[in-house]
Amino acid sequence: MSAILSADDLNDFISPGVACIKPVETLPAVPEQSGESELEHEVVIDGQQSATGTGAPAQISLTDCLACSGCVTSAEAVLVSLQSHNELLSVLDQAPALQIRRDDADGTISVEGLENPDSKLFVASVSPQTRASLAALTGRGVSQRRAGRMITQLLSGRDGLRAGGKWNNAFTWVADTDAAQAACLVLGAEEAIADGKVAKPVLSSSCPGWVCYAEKTHPYVLPHISKIKSPQALMGTLLKTTLSRTLGIPPHRIWHLAVMPCFDKKLEASREELTDSVWNGSGHPGKGVRDVDCVITSKEILMLTESRGIDFFGLPEEPIPIPSRIPFPDSTIQEFVFTSDQSHRLSPAAGTSGGHLYYTLQHVVSQHPGSRIETTRGRNVDVAEFSVISESGDPIFRAARYYGFRNIQNLVRKLKPARPSRMPGARAVGTTRRAVGKLTGPEFDYVEVMACPGGCTNGGGQIKVDDALVIERKGASFQPGPQEQKQWLLEVDEAYFSADESEPASADGPEKVGGGQGHLIGTISPTYIRDVLAHWSNATGIDIDKLVRTSYREVISDVGKSKTNDTERVVQLASKIGGGW
């Protein structure tokens, strides 16, 4: 279990459930039934020891948590055993890593070490919010891009993880998720303006806390949630499928680490919809090999360095030297994913959660010359409405932004379908204006939904202003408080949009997201993105929908369904101690 999780850290916490399929407290062992008349409940008088003894503590896996609706919290719960930096270190020390070798003569790539069944190929992906959080902590004007290089040096460089451990293992490739984010923006915008694929309004799906909440408490909104994978999930599928098919190794020999801004991403990685059973098996969700094997947060990067005795702030801010880099086996995917520039930097108006809403609005405007975007502020800073108005003044597209669970609950109430009245001829319950089955709220075309107030740079796994390292680096006189936390978030947001203006865009390699093809929407070429996705599908032989889309399902609680109800339990207990009615 991650040692840094506590109820105090949860800024998107709603409330714990009153029941759980697998409680984590130490429970008595189930006694053997000596006869049919024995009751399953036992009354123990004060001071009396139970005859049943004490059993081992119950274990809860991420799969158990996803299978239960006893809780309506975000996934940052202390009741589940989460992935952590300790798991990462344990896997690194299991066996020597698989080694990639390239023949300079003919360019062929081979894999060494397959004879050891425990050896794996290590790859990683890092979110821009994590880079921003660590950039703000580093200070000295370090940009998000430079912080990303420091993370790459930690995971892959000679002064990082490679310098220690049992086998001196490290990650063969470390990518940022910007390329996957760009693909998600293009696919999501096309989905939002298409008719029939997803019920309107389309609700964004990149926030796993929001998706988990909808599945467990408001299943009627599931037809509205975007079917496009999140950047983390898409990157996991991209790396696993491409490496598995091009290198000819099974998916379980590839170990993918994702570094993300929130703990909810750990639950997302555990979804059965995001395993190789979808793209390499039956085509349906199942208990296959995960596309993302482990997720750690920005905080856990620092715990990782502490565990290995590495000074994160002393790591080089330069990229891994080109002669030391191992070429990715697919050159098109390498250019798309592993070469980094500044072409995908969004405007601050896009927000710090990836820019889904912003890009979708820009996409609509690009299709209607002369149109404009009008903004209406909501009841708080985390709610806003947007309209694309045509040149003639007619509304073309309506969208909104809802951040934070308090605002999300208002949104889902507006989306709740009306119930038919039991009274003949009466209006439907819950609406006075719409017919049965119609939405009772504003008819948006698209809504960007995020669980964390302020967006992803304020995720639960991000470094907070009261963390010991922040206080240490800001000086002994620094006293963290609510105002200091707001200022800290401003610093993280500034780092999120930061750039190294003095460096050429090609410092790490050629351009990727723009690609020099077709028209640009912002800094992204939809034509280039579609060409890369088509290449990916052709190279792996997998249908593109299996690669980029996912599914959701209502989670129905089975808490107490196999047991007696409360009334029957009281009767049984009363009878056992000689009482009665």
Side-chain angles (χ1 to χ4, degrees):
M1 178 179 291
S2 175
I4 60 177
L5 287 180
S6 71
D8 294 337
D9 294 331
L10 311 185
N11 60 7
D12 56 353
F13 182 81
I14 298 180
S15 62
V18 296
C20 179
I21 295 174
K22 296 189 175 183
V24 294
E25 60 183 354
T26 302
L27 298 177
V30 178
E32 295 183 1
Q33 299 293 334
S34 57
E36 295 182 357
S37 62
E38 289 289 329
L39 296 173
E40 70 171 313
H41 297 279
E42 176 186 7
V43 174
V44 179
I45 302 174
D46 290 345
Q48 176 183 346
Q49 297 296 322
S50 172
T52 58
T54 301
Q59 298 294 321
I60 296 182
S61 70
L62 295 175
T63 302
D64 294 329
C65 188
L66 285 172
C68 168
S69 62
C71 296
V72 289
T73 70
S74 74
E76 301 168 339
V78 295
L79 302 179
V80 293
S81 177
L82 294 177
Q83 306 152 57
S84 70
H85 70 288
N86 289 323
E87 179 189 355
L88 164 59
L89 294 175
S90 175
V91 174
L92 285 174
D93 287 344
Q94 279 183 357
L98 295 177
Q99 300 297 319
I100 306 298
R101 300 286 184 253
R102 180 168 184 169
D103 191 324
D104 293 333
D106 57 11
T108 58
I109 296 178
S110 60
V111 183
E112 296 181 358
L114 288 171
E115 63 279 0
N116 187 336
D118 294 326
S119 296
K120 299 180 184 298
L121 179 65
F122 295 101
V123 293
S125 57
V126 184
S127 72
Q129 292 84 6
T130 290
R131 300 195 300 269
S133 188
L134 289 168
L137 178 65
T138 304
R140 310 191 312 270
V142 171
S143 66
Q144 177 207 133
R145 189 180 183 197
R146 287 184 174 271
R149 291 173 179 171
M150 295 169 70
I151 297 172
T152 300
Q153 293 281 3
L154 169 65
L155 299 177
S156 187
R158 65 181 183 179
D159 297 325
L161 298 177
R162 192 183 301 276
K166 185 176 181 180
W167 304 104
N168 300 110
N169 287 335
F171 287 79
T172 304
W173 294 290
V174 180
D176 62 49
T177 58
D178 284 350
Q181 178 70 55
C184 291
L185 295 181
V186 172
L187 294 168
E190 293 175 348
E191 179 187 57
I193 64 175
D195 293 327
K197 290 188 176 181
V198 180
K200 297 296 179 69
V202 177
L203 309 177
S204 65
S205 61
S206 62
C207 175
W210 146 243
V211 172
C212 186
Y213 172 72
E215 288 182 324
K216 293 182 176 183
T217 63
H218 301 289
Y220 55 83
V221 305
L222 297 184
H224 299 271
I225 297 182
S226 170
K227 301 299 187 293
I228 304 302
K229 291 180 178 179
S230 71
Q232 170 186 294
L234 189 66
M235 181 63 78
T237 307
L238 177 62
L239 295 177
K240 285 277 181 106
T241 55
T242 304
L243 291 172
S244 176
R245 296 298 169 91
T246 57
L247 298 178
I249 59 178
H252 73 271
R253 303 299 296 270
I254 305 165
W255 202 82
H256 177 210
L257 170 76
V259 189
M260 292 289 144
C262 74
F263 297 109
D264 293 337
K265 287 293 184 180
K266 297 172 186 278
L267 279 179
E268 178 185 297
S270 303
R271 294 180 66 90
E272 293 184 359
E273 292 85 355
L274 301 176
T275 65
D276 73 330
S277 63
V278 175
W279 55 265
N280 197 38
S282 64
H284 301 288
K287 297 183 181 298
V289 177
R290 295 177 184 174
D291 292 340
V292 179
D293 296 278
C294 180
V295 176
I296 62 174
T297 64
S298 308
K299 288 183 180 181
E300 290 171 295
I301 282 287
L302 300 176
M303 299 178 72
L304 179 64
T305 58
E306 183 180 0
S307 298
R308 282 288 180 89
I310 299 171
D311 177 16
F312 178 82
F313 309 106
L315 291 170
E317 298 176 14
E318 292 73 33
I320 301 291
I322 292 179
S324 301
R325 303 182 195 178
I326 299 175
F328 198 70
D330 187 301
S331 60
T332 300
I333 301 299
Q334 173 170 313
E335 180 181 353
F336 178 60
V337 173
F338 291 97
T339 52
S340 151
D341 69 359
Q342 302 176 52
S343 64
H344 182 42
R345 285 194 291 122
L346 295 173
S347 162
T352 58
S353 300
H356 298 271
L357 173 62
Y358 176 82
Y359 181 85
T360 299
L361 291 170
Q362 296 298 323
H363 183 83
V364 175
V365 169
S366 71
Q367 295 187 330
H368 298 84
S371 61
R372 67 184 188 277
I373 300 173
E374 292 186 354
T375 304
T376 304
R377 294 290 301 271
R379 60 191 301 175
N380 55 59
V381 295
D382 287 318
V383 177
E385 297 181 7
F386 304 84
S387 298
V388 177
I389 307 300
S390 68
E391 193 172 14
S392 61
D394 299 322
I396 302 172
F397 187 86
R398 293 194 63 197
R401 178 183 68 226
Y402 280 78
Y403 287 1
F405 271 118
R406 184 170 299 176
N407 294 319
I408 289 175
Q409 291 178 72
N410 292 330
L411 171 66
V412 296
R413 277 196 290 265
K414 293 177 181 179
L415 296 177
K416 190 172 184 178
R419 293 184 292 108
S421 173
R422 296 182 181 181
M423 298 295 293
R427 293 184 182 273
V429 178
T431 181
T432 58
R433 298 180 180 179
R434 303 184 187 277
V436 175
K438 294 293 184 180
L439 298 181
T440 61
E443 293 183 342
F444 297 120
D445 297 287
Y446 183 83
V447 183
E448 182 179 87
V449 185
M450 297 291 163
C452 293
C456 293
T457 50
N458 190 32
Q462 295 283 75
I463 299 163
K464 305 300 182 184
V465 72
D466 57 355
D467 286 345
L469 266 177
V470 176
I471 298 174
E472 176 185 335
R473 295 183 70 81
K474 285 187 174 293
S477 61
F478 178 74
Q479 296 293 328
Q483 291 303 318
E484 287 73 17
Q485 175 64 19
K486 290 182 179 179
Q487 180 60 37
W488 172 253
L489 288 177
L490 290 176
E491 295 178 24
V492 176
D493 289 350
E494 181 180 356
Y496 180 82
F497 295 109
S498 64
D500 297 320
E501 301 295 347
S502 61
E503 298 185 12
S506 59
D508 293 338
E511 292 186 358
K512 58 175 183 181
V513 179
Q517 301 182 34
H519 74 287
L520 295 178
I521 299 179
T523 58
I524 299 173
S525 168
T527 301
Y528 174 62
I529 296 294
R530 285 191 289 267
D531 288 346
V532 171
L533 295 178
H535 168 82
W536 176 25
S537 178
N538 292 333
T540 58
I542 304 172
D543 182 74
I544 190 64
D545 280 348
K546 288 185 178 181
L547 296 174
V548 304
R549 297 183 182 276
T550 187
S551 60
Y552 314 100
R553 79 280 189 227
E554 178 182 359
V555 178
I556 302 176
S557 174
D558 60 358
V559 176
K561 289 186 177 178
S562 61
K563 300 178 181 180
T564 56
N565 59 37
D566 291 339
T567 301
E568 293 172 331
R569 187 176 298 114
V570 169
V571 172
Q572 290 178 343
L573 293 174
S575 300
K576 188 167 185 177
I577 62 174
W581 295 95

